[in-house]
Amino acid sequence: NDNIQRIIKKAEGGDKTEYEAITYEGYGPGGVAVMVETLTDNRNRTAADVRHVFSKSGGNMGETGCVNWMFKRKGVFTIDGEENESLTEDDLMMIALDAGAEDVKSEEGGFEIITQPEDFDAVEKALADNNVEVAMAEITMIPDTMAELDEEGVAKVQKMLDLLDDLDDVQDVYTNADLPDDDEE
């Protein structure tokens, strides 16, 4: 009878599942720092799944705060140089820095703009007002230092990142592993 009542309640929309954001931290293969942001309705299941991936990959899950000090939350804009041919680095620097950006880096084939999260919207608006085509814009975690890995280490870390991405509750994964550009998180 309880099962029937629960099913009826769920069908009526009475089942108010609450989701909670949890960040797990630890060290992956080669000692790289890994942060896993999750959104879950079952804390125990998610913790077990993430812990399993860490141990299966040759890493270990740590206590809260064990690696988050190595990362800073930043806004990042990627500007494609080909889409913005008439834009010079000096012009972009003036637009971005006037809007509150921290740094403008010249990257291969384009530019990268770094902001504080609270300045993200102002920089985004300034870029749009000046008709700058933005290839990617996000608020992310950027590591203070990168961990160098050999080819085998890169493969192990990439496998771990793929396993974490396959978990339903995982929203984002950040690492300080120096991975090739096409695999970078």
Side-chain angles (χ1 to χ4, degrees):
N1 204 12
D2 287 341
N3 287 342
I4 293 171
Q5 292 303 320
R6 202 172 22 248
I7 291 169
I8 291 171
K9 193 175 182 181
K10 188 174 185 176
E12 292 174 341
D15 182 28
K16 304 287 187 216
T17 304
E18 293 199 22
Y19 288 90
E20 133 180 62
I22 305 170
T23 300
Y24 297 97
E25 304 173 34
Y27 293 93
V32 301
V34 179
M35 286 182 53
V36 182
E37 290 183 351
T38 64
L39 190 62
T40 182
D41 62 342
N42 185 331
R43 171 185 281 254
N44 294 331
R45 178 197 66 228
T46 303
D49 289 348
V50 172
R51 183 175 284 110
H52 176 74
V53 171
F54 269 96
S55 57
K56 183 178 179 178
S57 303
N60 60 323
M61 203 158 83
E63 297 293 319
T64 300
C66 70
V67 300
N68 77 350
W69 59 271
M70 294 183 207
F71 294 85
K72 301 287 184 275
R73 189 164 292 281
K74 300 284 184 178
V76 178
F77 295 89
T78 304
I79 312 296
D80 188 352
E82 291 179 22
E83 303 236 349
N84 299 282
E85 289 178 17
S86 63
L87 189 67
T88 68
E89 184 174 2
D90 290 339
D91 292 340
L92 183 62
M93 195 170 289
M94 291 300 291
I95 294 166
L97 295 178
D98 284 347
E102 281 184 2
D103 195 11
V104 177
K105 299 176 184 175
S106 182
E107 301 278 317
E108 187 175 319
F111 306 97
E112 183 177 76
I113 301 171
I114 308 291
T115 72
Q116 287 293 333
E118 56 271 13
D119 297 326
F120 186 84
D121 291 336
V123 172
E124 188 173 43
K125 183 178 181 334
L127 293 172
D129 290 348
N130 287 280
N131 298 318
V132 176
E133 292 281 333
V134 177
M136 191 253 334
E138 67 180 347
I139 294 181
T140 187
M141 298 293 278
I142 298 178
D144 290 333
T145 58
M146 300 301 284
E148 297 290 328
L149 296 170
D150 59 15
E151 210 170 297
E152 182 182 337
V154 168
K156 286 180 181 178
V157 169
Q158 191 58 54
K159 182 176 182 195
M160 178 183 186
L161 296 177
D162 291 343
L163 289 171
L164 286 169
D165 282 340
D166 288 344
L167 297 177
D168 290 338
D169 297 333
V170 171
Q171 302 298 303
D172 286 305
V173 180
Y174 306 105
T175 180
N176 70 340
D178 193 6
L179 300 173
D181 285 339
D182 58 327
D183 295 328
E184 203 164 88
E185 285 296 309

